[in-house]
Amino acid sequence: MAAEETTRRTLETDVGTDAVNAKRAGDTGALEADLREGCAGDVRFDEYTRVLYATDGSIYGAQPAGVVFPRDEADVRAAVRVASEHGVPVLPRGAGSSLAGQAVGPGCVVLDLSRHMDEVLEIDADRRRAVVQPGVVQDHLDAALEPHGLKFAPDPASSNRATIGGGIGNNSTGAHSVRYGITDAYVEECEVVLADGSLIRTRDVVLDSPEWERIVEKDDREAAIYRTVRAVVEDNADEIEDRYPELKRSVSGYNLQKVLRTDAEGNRIVNLSKLLVGAEGTLGVVVEAALSLVTRPEETALVVCCYDDLLEALAAVPEALALEASAVELMDDEVFRLAANSAEYAEYVESIPAGTEAALMLEFDDEVFSDLPDAIDTATDELVDGGAAFDAIEAFSSEKRDRLWKLRKAAIPLLMGMDGDPKPYPFVEDASVPPEELAEYVAGFQEILEDHDTTAAYFAHAGAGTLHIRPVLNLKTENDVETMRSIAEDVTSLALEHDGSFSGEHGDGLARTEFNPKLYGPELWDAFKDVKSAFDPDWRMNPGKVVYRDEDGERTDIRDHLRYGADYASLEPRTGLDFDDDGGFSHLVELCNGCGTCRQTEGDVMCPTYRATEEEIATTRGRANLLRAAISGEIGPDELYSDRFQSEVLDLCIGCKGCQSDCPTGVDLAKLKVEVKHQYHDREGVSLRERLFANVDRLAAVGSALAPIANRAPTLPGARTVLERTVGIASERTLPTFQRETLVSWFEKRGGAAASNRRAAEPRADRGSRVDPEAASAGVVLYPDTDTNYSNPDVGRAAVRVLEAAGVHVTVPDLGPTGRAAYSQGLLDRAAADGQALLDDLEPYLERGWSVCFVEPSDAAMVTDEYRSLLDDERVETLAANAYDICEYLDEHRLVEELDVDGENERLTYHGHCHQKARGTDHHAVGVLRRAGYAVDPVDSGCCGMAGSFGYEADHYELSKAVGSLLEDQLAASDGTTVVAPGTSCRTQIGDFDAYDRPTHPVELLAQGLEQ
């Protein structure tokens, strides 16, 4: 309850309650009013919400009428009834990661089932069964099942944010479908809200049994559905037999081939659950599902076989399947190329040998093979020694396996991050054919691409005959929009020639529904319409998906509702930052493809405020969608500089830079936010609080000069209240204190650089001098950041002692700020001035080959990352090449071996700084501490929530604490006895937790070890 209350207060403060939205927007109509009256959950019809829910992970975009966030089944029923009374369509939605436009519905009432209806209701391990609500994220369900040795078999690449309800709607699957099949095999029962708001429970019903008779004798919607479905399946038995392809994956159309079966006793059984799976919300809203489960293998192993020709790799798929692999996946050279150029994935592609045009990745598990090394050896013998592969990579450790799987699962978002407007778009990407025909099918596909003068990337589920092939097009041009339609027509014909399905995984949506009549023929097309009419007589449930009313001229067209169509245009604003490397401001915004990786809540960093609020507006995707709407005129360009946009969209981005590394397409929202804040300040001015935080270095200098009097001032009665009311600094937050003796003055008092050089050169008893005379002029500038210099000089002193003990010549000059504080507030002119001054001061040292070390990670990130777009100065690259976090420097130069530190195996919990994670440098401290003898548990933690000034701001304090509470839970789960963290913001936030004292900096531990 406490956590819920905290989140609620956060939303009221930072996002806006329904009452505030209603007051702002006024009365938006009878539909909204009736929904508010009938539903306990939030109802939002404001412009921002409509933009946020206008897109999914596909190429489509269209604003809904509004969004309802149902709290329970009763809310869903009420919302559907109200929509029915108003004649408005309804669209159920999970994470919005669908790739064919299933979650895009113009004028619909969207039901976001991911917010509240996300519980695992029951786990029956003995029966291998679970009952869930539709909003449960698949990885969360699997985490709950893991202690029982079970899992839900379908495993889409989006499982860390995709919901079970979305998977049911889409009939999802994943890499292991060659062994486990797809979702429809595992959905046993469903509770479903129909288009009139009535509720039915679908389950096995024996035809002509007493139960059957009780159902069909009634005069209601359920009875009509059962009678219609039976008649449709029985009357079209021959067409179903002829038209449905015999594939492990076929998810186009309705599952007429699976709704009726005969059991071992000869009973004919109908289960409407099989029909609802893959129906994309067009037949009803699933509000509860009973799922069958499978056992979880204890061990797996991978082998990646490398080929110098794509078609040769595809030709080897039948051989790979004969080896009884549980997964057979393909990646091509385009995926490898993009990964190599990605900050997040470059390290994962390093093991792929040069010359690899395509690779087959085979997984084996211990439920099939008792000897995994033998299974891998057999695969290598068959595919490399006796086949066309020229090399193989074996992976037995979980770390190596995870790296290869992460590379494979990153393929889709990586491809969408390609430079420029042409992108490999999803619209024919998952046609499925028999695996033995895959090579011939791809050869035919390549001919189609050549005919249309384009190329494609190839990857994914080769073992199931489902390759994700994405033609590269520029959908901002009319010519390429028409080319897309032509390619889709040709690929549909090609799939039919090879007895395939136009969709083997990602469903129909707006992209493929148009072609279902061609795939299934007129009789089954009419059957689909009969089924749709039985469930949904007014055709209001997610209209235009799976089936459409062609007789009424409502034909679904692949070219309709494109997010980027021929009429799309965007503004390219003049910017203070350099966006050339990003392709421009608008291109960086448009890199967001809607995949929803930013909705994940476990692992990585982004998006901290989403994890605390579960608000779409707090995701990178949400903010990018609103930025795109502004620059394209969808909501008007002036809205970008409105107070509302600043407070509800940008201010909730805390600049963690997690999207820089975690967003597969590289949407750097932190950079975009700073630029827009800068332009806002140019138009509207700068607040007092922003000026104070931007000048925190100067304020700290004054505080230090006046210490200890300055430290007592905030403790005076009423002082904190005054600060909150006048400046907006949260009265609950612990404020920094100041030291009279700064780090710089301490260093000078002990003799400065000359004394440091003597200390570094002192020989130890067990070795001679460690300073190379030829390198005596080189050393380290230890940067005295604001916190270290004025508030916590002990950290800087520790760094000096450790560097000297390692034989490093150190100096601590009196330097100004990096500009980080001003940059974070969007005051780019001030930040640039600070940066130029620092470059000037550091130039003599850089010319002599000195390095610059930082104990504060955010300052290190400032000079290595932000300076590149902030300053037009060739010295930036020189500084970036010679700038290090303190532990990064110790690790890169292997200086721990020079230290006489014995950690005595003390157990540490390490929380890395977000900016280090974005730069890929957070592992250095862990390595240094471990080599110094400490047992380190690096917590896979997100942002601490403090984020510099963010956690001090009164209007963000509750949100800061809500984000921090997630970190507190992760720290509590660690088995370390001491918490260490390099970031001063992190140490402040953790120190404010009830259960923790302020942590130490890693370099302080090393210094303490030296003194023992």
Side-chain angles (χ1 to χ4, degrees):
M1 177 60 75
E4 291 179 3
E5 290 175 351
T6 297
T7 300
R8 190 176 301 115
R9 287 197 301 271
T10 294
L11 298 184
E12 290 171 354
T13 302
D14 294 303
V15 178
T17 62
D18 288 338
V20 172
N21 286 336
K23 183 177 180 181
R24 179 189 300 118
D27 183 7
T28 57
L31 171 62
E32 180 183 4
D34 289 350
L35 285 169
R36 290 183 183 280
E37 183 177 353
C39 300
D42 295 348
V43 176
R44 300 182 188 173
F45 274 56
D46 63 280
E47 186 177 45
Y48 282 14
T49 298
R50 296 198 307 273
V51 170
L52 292 170
Y53 285 82
T55 58
D56 55 8
S58 72
I59 60 178
Y60 296 99
Q63 287 193 18
V67 181
V68 178
F69 301 87
R71 290 190 172 274
D72 51 27
E73 169 202 304
D75 267 4
V76 174
R77 298 182 69 180
V80 171
R81 279 196 299 266
V82 170
S84 176
E85 292 166 0
H86 287 267
V88 176
V90 173
L91 192 165
R93 173 172 166 134
S97 57
S98 46
L99 289 166
Q102 294 94 324
V104 173
C108 288
V109 171
V110 173
L111 306 180
D112 185 344
L113 303 172
S114 70
R115 172 69 62 78
H116 303 297
M117 300 181 68
D118 59 352
E119 293 186 21
V120 178
L121 301 173
E122 176 189 338
I123 296 175
D124 187 336
D126 293 334
R127 295 173 60 195
R128 296 183 185 175
R129 189 174 186 269
V131 180
V132 303
Q133 292 182 311
V136 174
V137 172
Q138 172 151 348
D139 277 5
H140 297 174
L141 171 60
D142 282 338
L145 295 172
E146 185 172 12
H148 305 283
L150 301 171
K151 67 176 182 176
F152 185 56
D155 59 340
S158 56
S159 62
N160 62 358
R161 70 269 191 195
T163 63
I164 294 296
I168 290 172
N170 193 64
N171 202 0
S172 294
T173 181
H176 295 85
S177 63
V178 294
R179 177 165 178 208
Y180 295 113
I182 60 180
T183 295
D184 58 39
Y186 299 94
V187 180
E188 298 178 355
E189 300 181 9
C190 294
E191 282 196 2
V192 187
V193 175
L194 299 177
D196 61 355
S198 61
L199 183 73
I200 66 171
R201 187 168 191 89
T202 62
R203 72 279 187 196
D204 280 353
V205 177
V206 178
L207 291 183
D208 301 322
S209 66
E211 182 181 17
W212 168 265
E213 296 300 335
R214 284 195 299 272
I215 293 172
V216 299
E217 69 184 8
K218 296 182 295 183
D219 184 21
D220 62 9
R221 181 68 53 80
E222 182 179 23
I225 290 170
Y226 272 96
R227 289 193 296 264
T228 300
V229 169
R230 178 178 185 175
V232 162
V233 173
E234 291 180 344
D235 292 348
N236 293 278
D238 292 341
E239 279 292 290
I240 291 172
E241 177 70 23
D242 291 341
R243 285 283 187 171
Y244 280 86
E246 295 184 8
L247 299 168
K248 287 185 177 294
R249 297 159 166 257
S250 177
V251 302
S252 284
Y254 290 129
N255 274 339
L256 298 183
Q257 82 283 28
K258 295 181 179 180
V259 71
L260 194 63
R261 74 180 194 278
T262 302
D263 68 10
E265 287 75 36
N267 297 310
R268 298 179 67 215
I269 296 172
V270 62
N271 191 329
L272 297 180
S273 305
K274 307 303 178 182
L275 197 59
L276 290 162
V277 178
E280 301 182 3
T282 62
L283 303 181
V285 183
V286 175
V287 293
E288 183 179 298
L291 311 173
S292 58
L293 310 171
V294 298
T295 54
R296 182 189 298 264
E298 293 183 3
E299 296 289 338
T300 62
L302 288 176
V303 60
V304 178
C305 297
C306 304
Y307 296 82
D308 57 15
D309 181 81
L310 172 66
L311 295 181
E312 285 187 349
L314 296 174
V317 169
E319 298 174 57
L321 290 172
L323 297 169
E324 296 186 87
S326 54
V328 179
E329 298 287 289
L330 179 111
M331 295 177 282
D332 78 343
D333 60 331
E334 184 66 7
V335 173
F336 299 145
R337 182 186 69 80
L338 291 169
N341 293 326
S342 163
E344 183 178 6
Y345 297 103
E347 61 180 298
Y348 302 124
V349 79
E350 290 174 355
S351 61
I352 304 299
T356 302
E357 294 293 317
L360 288 179
M361 185 168 75
L362 283 66
E363 181 183 271
F364 300 90
D365 69 62
D366 62 357
E367 290 190 341
V368 178
F369 294 92
S370 58
D371 188 338
L372 290 178
D374 182 65
I376 295 295
D377 287 344
T378 301
T380 303
D381 289 343
E382 291 287 333
L383 300 177
V384 181
D385 298 339
F390 69 86
D391 201 353
I393 304 164
E394 299 178 356
F396 293 96
S397 70
S398 60
E399 180 182 4
K400 194 170 183 179
R401 294 196 311 270
D402 289 347
R403 290 164 70 89
L404 290 169
W405 273 119
K406 190 165 186 179
L407 176 63
R408 158 60 196 91
K409 289 186 175 185
I412 289 177
L414 273 172
L415 288 165
M416 292 307 293
M418 285 178 60
D419 293 338
D421 286 332
K423 293 282 190 295
Y425 283 114
F427 60 97
V428 291
E429 60 160 353
D430 68 328
S432 187
V433 300
E436 60 272 15
E437 299 194 33
L438 191 57
E440 187 177 348
Y441 166 78
V442 170
F445 203 119
Q446 290 177 330
E447 291 180 5
I448 292 172
L449 295 174
E450 290 175 5
D451 290 343
H452 291 88
D453 194 26
T454 188
T455 59
Y458 304 80
F459 63 98
H461 318 298
T466 306
L467 275 192
H468 295 332
I469 308 177
R470 295 188 164 205
V472 177
L473 298 171
N474 179 4
L475 295 184
K476 293 181 180 179
T477 68
E478 185 175 355
N479 181 69
D480 276 16
V481 170
E482 294 305 314
T483 298
M484 174 182 71
R485 174 66 178 71
S486 179
I487 290 174
E489 185 73 53
D490 291 347
V491 171
T492 309
S493 299
L494 181 66
L496 281 172
E497 289 175 17
H498 290 279
D499 300 315
S501 169
F502 197 28
S503 178
E505 180 174 16
H506 294 154
D508 293 328
L510 294 169
R512 286 179 274 275
T513 293
E514 175 185 358
F515 302 99
N516 276 339
K518 180 177 178 178
L519 285 169
Y520 290 104
E523 293 181 32
L524 289 185
W525 182 243
D526 286 342
F528 288 170
K529 290 189 284 187
D530 289 343
V531 169
K532 170 70 171 174
S533 293
F535 276 88
D536 180 20
D538 297 322
W539 285 56
R540 291 185 309 95
M541 303 303 294
N542 203 8
K545 320 297 168 31
V546 183
V547 65
Y548 55 83
R549 281 175 161 170
D550 45 347
E551 65 272 16
D552 295 336
E554 297 180 3
R555 178 186 180 93
T556 298
D557 192 303
I558 189 175
R559 296 164 292 191
D560 292 342
H561 307 299
L562 292 173
R563 189 190 313 186
Y564 302 112
D567 57 349
Y568 176 87
S570 62
L571 300 173
E572 183 62 38
R574 297 181 64 179
T575 60
L577 295 173
D578 184 352
F579 284 86
D580 286 350
D581 289 344
D582 306 298
F585 179 93
S586 61
H587 182 264
L588 184 56
V589 171
E590 293 166 4
L591 276 178
C592 177
N593 64 4
C595 68
T597 304
C598 43
R599 285 177 61 102
Q600 65 181 318
T601 57
E602 304 292 337
D604 294 330
V605 176
M606 73 170 187
C607 263
T609 49
Y610 171 75
R611 297 183 183 194
T613 65
E614 297 185 352
E615 287 278 355
E616 178 70 19
I617 200 172
T619 63
T620 297
R621 177 175 73 178
R623 296 183 183 111
N625 273 332
L626 285 163
L627 282 168
R628 177 181 49 78
I631 64 175
S632 66
E634 187 177 354
I635 60 175
D638 287 342
E639 185 68 21
L640 195 64
Y641 310 109
S642 69
D643 291 342
R644 183 187 178 195
F645 200 96
Q646 301 300 310
S647 63
E648 294 188 17
V649 181
L650 297 183
D651 282 354
L652 299 190
C653 168
I654 59 180
C656 68
K657 294 168 64 76
C659 51
Q660 185 183 39
S661 58
D662 298 345
C663 174
T665 58
V667 181
D668 190 345
L669 215 292
K671 181 177 179 179
L672 291 166
K673 169 198 171 177
V674 165
E675 178 60 49
V676 178
K677 294 286 284 185
H678 166 67
Q679 296 183 29
Y680 174 78
H681 292 322
D682 282 349
R683 289 175 174 230
E684 305 296 334
V686 184
S687 70
L688 175 60
R689 186 176 69 186
E690 288 169 323
R691 290 189 186 279
L692 289 174
F693 281 128
N695 288 281
V696 67
D697 189 79
R698 290 151 185 83
L699 292 174
V702 173
S704 175
L706 298 177
I709 296 173
N711 297 328
R712 291 199 292 268
T715 67
L716 297 175
R720 298 305 303 275
T721 301
V722 171
L723 272 177
E724 181 165 324
R725 290 178 178 175
T726 58
V727 185
I729 296 177
S731 58
E732 304 94 331
R733 180 64 73 184
T734 300
L735 295 178
T737 56
F738 305 105
Q739 302 297 317
R740 188 62 176 266
E741 183 179 63
T742 67
L743 174 64
V744 171
S745 62
W746 167 83
F747 187 78
E748 288 304 316
K749 189 179 295 184
R750 72 197 287 267
S756 177
N757 193 28
R758 289 195 299 272
R759 291 185 179 91
E762 289 177 359
R764 298 296 185 264
D766 58 342
R767 56 195 166 208
S769 173
R770 287 156 300 150
V771 176
D772 183 348
E774 295 182 2
S777 62
V780 162
V781 174
L782 184 69
Y783 176 73
D785 64 87
T786 299
D787 180 76
T788 304
N789 195 30
Y790 299 114
S791 294
N792 291 290
D794 284 349
V795 178
R797 294 167 186 166
V800 170
R801 291 177 181 132
V802 168
L803 288 169
E804 289 176 347
V808 178
H809 181 190
V810 184
T811 188
V812 186
D814 188 6
L815 299 171
T818 61
R820 165 61 69 187
Y823 182 89
S824 298
Q825 300 299 324
L827 301 179
L828 297 184
D829 293 339
R830 183 54 193 261
D834 287 342
Q836 288 293 162
L838 183 60
L839 283 174
D840 291 342
D841 289 342
L842 288 175
E843 184 174 14
Y845 299 99
L846 295 173
E847 287 179 344
R848 287 156 52 195
W850 283 48
S851 299
V852 184
C853 280
F854 298 83
V855 296
E856 174 50 47
S858 62
D859 283 307
M862 184 69 187
V863 303
T864 56
D865 285 351
E866 277 70 46
Y867 275 13
R868 287 188 164 103
S869 56
L870 177 67
L871 304 175
D872 183 15
D873 192 315
E874 62 184 12
R875 296 174 298 176
V876 167
E877 292 302 325
T878 303
L879 174 56
N882 292 279
Y884 300 86
D885 290 310
I886 181 65
C887 287
E888 178 186 11
Y889 182 84
L890 295 171
D891 196 28
E892 289 283 353
H893 294 84
R894 307 312 261 183
L895 294 177
V896 179
E897 288 78 0
E898 300 291 337
L899 302 176
D900 187 15
V901 178
D902 183 6
E904 296 182 349
N905 213 34
E906 180 183 352
R907 303 198 65 81
L908 306 176
T909 295
Y910 176 76
H911 166 67
H913 193 282
C914 296
H915 291 176
Q916 290 179 320
K917 294 174 183 178
R919 296 175 56 228
T921 61
D922 56 309
H923 64 283
H924 289 296
V926 176
V928 165
L929 290 169
R930 283 176 174 168
R931 284 194 294 279
Y934 295 97
V936 185
D937 177 16
V939 181
D940 186 13
S941 51
C943 181
C944 72
M946 192 67 187
S949 65
F950 184 86
Y952 287 107
E953 297 166 3
D955 47 347
H956 295 145
Y957 174 75
E958 289 292 343
L959 180 53
S960 172
K961 294 295 286 184
V963 174
S965 68
L966 304 177
L967 170 60
E968 189 172 12
D969 292 341
Q970 292 171 309
L971 296 178
S974 171
D975 60 0
T977 57
T978 301
V979 179
V980 292
T984 183
S985 288
C986 306
R987 298 197 300 276
T988 298
Q989 179 80 299
I990 296 170
D992 280 353
F993 296 158
D994 291 338
Y996 295 92
D997 296 325
R998 183 182 173 94
T1000 57
H1001 191 289
V1003 79
E1004 290 183 280
L1005 279 181
L1006 297 176
Q1008 292 168 15
L1010 289 172
E1011 295 166 358
Q1012 293 175 356

